[in-house]
Amino acid sequence: QALRELSCDSSTRAGMFSRSIAVARRSSLAAAVAKRGLGGAARGYDVYDPTKNLTIARSWLTGPPALSYSVYKAQCESVRLFVFGGVILYLTYDLIKNPPRSSYWLNWRPDRVVMNFVTGFGSSPSPFLKEKLPYETNPLAVYVELSTTRSCYRPIKEPEADEEE
């Protein structure tokens, strides 16, 4: 009998294969049934349905108080959508009516975007010097003064007093 278990003919192989398929089916059915409920499922109305959200928001403002947490949460979520949109509209209007006075805003405000692309983001002078800048200071004299006196002290001439006093 031990030899029979070790030697596998085609009929026993088919039987073993069908048993393994049956076991796999049972385990996949068990996995499908045994779903963990972690509370991540969506509840309430769809966020992208403004008519239902408006009715829920109105019920929060004018209707009777919510009797359960889930109803209260749905009301708060619906009101939040409209409050967010209102704040964004107000801030946009205020930015158009009272624009900031910074140079950044003057150059990059929304109504100048097209013009900036047309002109290639503005024409600015080259950051590299094309000629030597004229200096009125003699660096050697400054070095000698600093190294010998260890200070930049230069006597200040006092203004001459008027003779009339």
Side-chain angles (χ1 to χ4, degrees):
Q1 189 176 14
L3 268 175
R4 186 169 180 209
E5 289 176 8
L6 290 176
S7 67
C8 294
D9 58 347
S10 62
S11 64
T12 56
R13 281 190 207 142
M16 289 172 34
F17 183 69
S18 63
R19 272 185 265 145
S20 64
I21 289 176
V23 169
R25 281 186 188 157
R26 274 187 264 139
S27 64
S28 65
L29 287 174
V33 172
K35 186 185 273 187
R36 294 176 61 189
L38 300 176
R43 296 183 196 157
Y45 293 108
D46 186 19
V47 177
Y48 301 109
D49 190 3
T51 56
K52 287 186 180 177
N53 283 312
L54 186 60
T55 57
I56 295 171
R58 283 185 185 157
S59 73
W60 184 73
L61 296 171
T62 60
L67 297 177
S68 68
Y69 174 74
S70 60
V71 173
Y72 178 71
K73 182 180 175 189
Q75 289 174 341
C76 288
E77 287 175 353
S78 294
V79 169
R80 179 184 64 187
L81 291 172
F82 294 107
V83 168
F84 178 77
V87 168
I88 295 298
L89 287 175
Y90 172 75
L91 291 176
T92 304
Y93 170 74
D94 189 50
L95 191 62
I96 292 169
K97 186 178 177 191
N98 303 319
R101 296 182 189 153
S102 68
S103 61
Y104 180 82
W105 180 261
L106 293 175
N107 291 328
W108 297 103
R109 62 183 182 235
D111 61 343
R112 294 206 26 136
V113 169
V114 175
M115 193 60 171
N116 286 336
F117 277 113
V118 169
T119 61
F121 297 99
S123 60
S124 60
S126 173
F128 304 108
L129 296 176
K130 294 181 179 171
E131 58 189 35
K132 186 176 180 180
L133 295 176
Y135 288 111
E136 295 180 12
T137 307
N138 184 0
L140 182 61
V142 171
Y143 170 74
V144 169
E145 181 181 345
L146 286 175
S147 61
T148 56
T149 62
R150 303 269 184 210
S151 68
C152 290
Y153 174 73
R154 289 188 179 170
I156 300 173
K157 294 182 181 178
E158 293 184 14
E160 296 178 10
D162 290 333
E163 305 267 339
E164 297 174 4
E165 292 180 21

